[in-house]
Structure formats: structure tokens, C-alpha cells
Amino acid sequence: MGWLSKIFKGSNHNISEGHYYGDCVQDANYNAPSTSGEAFLEQENEDIDRAIALSLLEDNHNAKNVFDIEIQLKEDEQLAKALQESLSVESPPQYGNGIPRYGSGIPYQGNAYHPYPVHFPMGFRSCAGCNTEIGQGKFLNCLNAFWHPECFRCHACGLPISDYEFSMNGNYPYHKSCYKERYHPKCEVCKLFIPTNPAGLIEYRAHPFWIQKYCPSHEHDGTPRCCSCERMEPQDTGYVALNDGRKLCLECLDSAIMDTKHCQPLYLDIQEFYERLNMKVEQFVPLLLVERQALNEARDGEKNGHYHMPETRGLCLSEEQTISTVSKQPRFGAGNRAMGMITEPYKLTRRCEVTAILILYGLPRLLTGSILAHEMMHAWMRLKGFQTLSQDVEEGICQVLAHMWLDSELTSTSGSNMASSSASRTTENGTRSQFERKLGDFFKHQIESDTSPVYGDGFRAGQQAVQKYGLVRTLDHVRMTGKFPY
């Protein structure tokens, strides 16, 4: 039985390579006494024949199992290798999200991801792009899915992404160049991509009202800013250069009032606005449009008064002076420079507590009107005998009237004397242009967001009092106490 044992052991050895294990078993009657030698030999021969047949049958079956198991092992090794390679891809950087604010810096929002080409056997995965089975050859493993190289495409241009890195926005992949073109902020002045600073952040400036983004360098490179709307226009957009050094954009120029004569219809509008409030100004008060230098000289000639810095754009005078007023508006020649403007002296005579109201020339109608409404309130209080008030109370209530006038102009389809004002620009149905309405909202925003303790805090305190008690009761309280009611 020794050789039979070798057959079983040999069979067992072969099967163990396929992780299949068998046991060697001896017959239970092997040591039992025999009744006949021939019978024993015959029985033994039958047992040997049966064992050989079983062994051959088992070897044939196990050889097939070993072949199948070896194929499976090979595929498992390929899969493990591919998964290991896909896990070695660099993790995507964090996605930065910034809110444009003045002087803000935000991370560049172009994240670099790496599509990884791998090889797998036929029928292993289906493509996330075309939903068909991926055959033998290269394909990409990215975004937790598998792709044919030609099916992994940019969401912007629709072309395949063959670069080593790509960018993501939401669930959509982009070429890095397409992502930058679509999402990287551009300067609204020079039209170039806003550069990143040494820390890798996109740093730009943004106007708090117009939300205009531009490179920080334009604040120091001589780029002009409109003296009315405060915007920096694109470099290929024209500006008008006024004689006193101010720059006026073409949209603000469209409704600008350029001389004293053309401001008189607006002056009548303001007087009628005060009459509707039962605050008629009885005395005649001259209105003069002046250049910046003349306005500053007149301010220096006043004994009392508080002036809005950094630039004064209107004055209510009480002293006798000689003022240089703009009597003829300029024309604009080569280079959009003002030419041919005529000024003439105007001697102020003190007949009452107010000698004149001065307004800076060359401002849009709505801004000129709000300044005039402010200065008219100064004149009204002086002519009504109000005591000397603290600066925040006097300037605050004047800002309230300027804000009220702007609000009335923007809520009405047109001013009462709008058709007679050559500086007004309306559409065919008599409504204001979209830009002029936006400009009016900007002037209101300037009053509301003023941070100065005199004009800003004074306006907010006066506005709160008027909303709570009404204009008449607020003015009566100010007249008696010199303070706003609370």
C-alpha cells in the first residue's frame, strides 16, 4: 500500500496549490484477518483498481479547478494594482469661495485635479460619459467614475480634457484655461485677469455700490475716476475734463448742468418741492453755479458754517461777497476738454440772513438737485429764525430734505418742471433712463451710508425722528430745543 499512499499524497500536493485540501484515508478492514489468501489478493486488486480510477478522475477534475483559480488570481492582481495606482492620485485642493468686497483677497478658484489613465481587462467597467462598456485599452479614473478618454469633456468648450490637470466647478470639469476664462475675475478697467498677490490670493478693489471690480494698481496709476458717480470707466471709454481738473464720465455728462442759466428750472423744482411741504422760502435767494476754486474762496469768506470734506459742492452764504459765477456753459473740443466757458463776477448784497446759494457746476441734475435741496434747508432755517444749532442737527436735517427730494424724484415719472430743463434726459414715454434712476439710487446710498459723525450720524438721527414724529413736529422740536426728538 506504500505506492498507493504516494498516489494520494501526490494528488493532495497538486491540489494544495489551488488551495484545495484532501485527507488520506485507509480502509477500516486493512488489518483484519483474511479467510482466504486468494480472496484477499482478489479483494486487494479490486480496491487498487477502484482507487486508481478515483484518483485519475479526481486529478482530472482538480486540474480544471487549478486553471480557473490561476486565471482569477491573475485578474485579482491586475485589479489590485489599478486600484493602488488610482489611490496614489494627488488629493484635490480646497475650493476657495470669496465675496467681493473692498480690498478683499480670495483664493484662486481653479482647483487642479488629475485624471489618471489605467488599463483594465475587457468588460471591467462602463463609461460614465457614454454609458457603454469600456473595452481593452486606456481609460480615465476620476470623479469616482471611469471614462473613455474621448468622453471626459470640458463643460465650457465641450472638447476632451487631455491635460494632466483640470478644474472643477460644482460637479462639472473644465480645462484650466476654460475655467479661468469663465470664472477668474477680470478688471473692469483694463479688461485683463486680476493678478494674484504673492500669497496666491486674487486681490482687487470693488466699489461698495456699483460692485465694480478693478486691479488695485489703478488707484495709483493715474486712472481717472468720475467726480459724480465715482466709477472707474474702462480705459477705452472717453471722459470729459472740466476746467477745474475734475473728470466727468459721458453718462453723467448726459444730464449735467453746466451754467447758472440752465440751473434755474431745477431751482424752481426745488422751490415747489418746499412749497408742497408748507415750507415756502419767501425771500429771493440768488442761485449761482461756480467752479471749484470760486466755491472754495467763498467758503473761506464765510465766518460760520460746516463743510463736507474732502470736497464742498454747495454753500449757503450769509456774508456779502463778490462771486465768480459760470454764465455760459463750455463746449467740448479735442480730447473732450471743456473750452469756451465764460465766468463773470456777481456781487452779493445782504438783504436778509441769506445772500446766495452756490452749487458746483458740471454735476448731473439729480446730484445738483439734492445739493440744492440741502442748501435750501439751511436758507429756510436761517430765514425762519432758528437758533444756532449743533452741526450734526443742522447738517442732519438738511440731509433728510435732500434725501426726501431724491426719493420724490425717483418715485415720480418725471419732475414737475422736467420738460423745461435742458439737462434732463428722459425716454419717449417720459420716464427716466435706467442709468439716471441708478444714479439717483447711488446718491441716496451716499447719504444713507455716510460715515461722518456730522452728516452721516446726523442724517440717521434726523431720519429716525421724522419717520417717528413727522417733519413738522420734528422741526418744531428742533426750533425749541435745538435737538432731535427721541
Side-chain angles (χ1 to χ4, degrees), residues 3-18:
W3 62 271
L4 182 60
S5 177
K6 288 183 180 179
I7 292 175
F8 282 114
K9 287 180 180 179
S11 178
N12 286 341
H13 175 71
N14 291 335
I15 294 173
S16 69
E17 293 181 355

Side-chain angles (χ1 to χ4, degrees), residues 73 132 209 238 256 479:
L73 282 173
T132 62
F209 179 83
R479 185 198 299 269

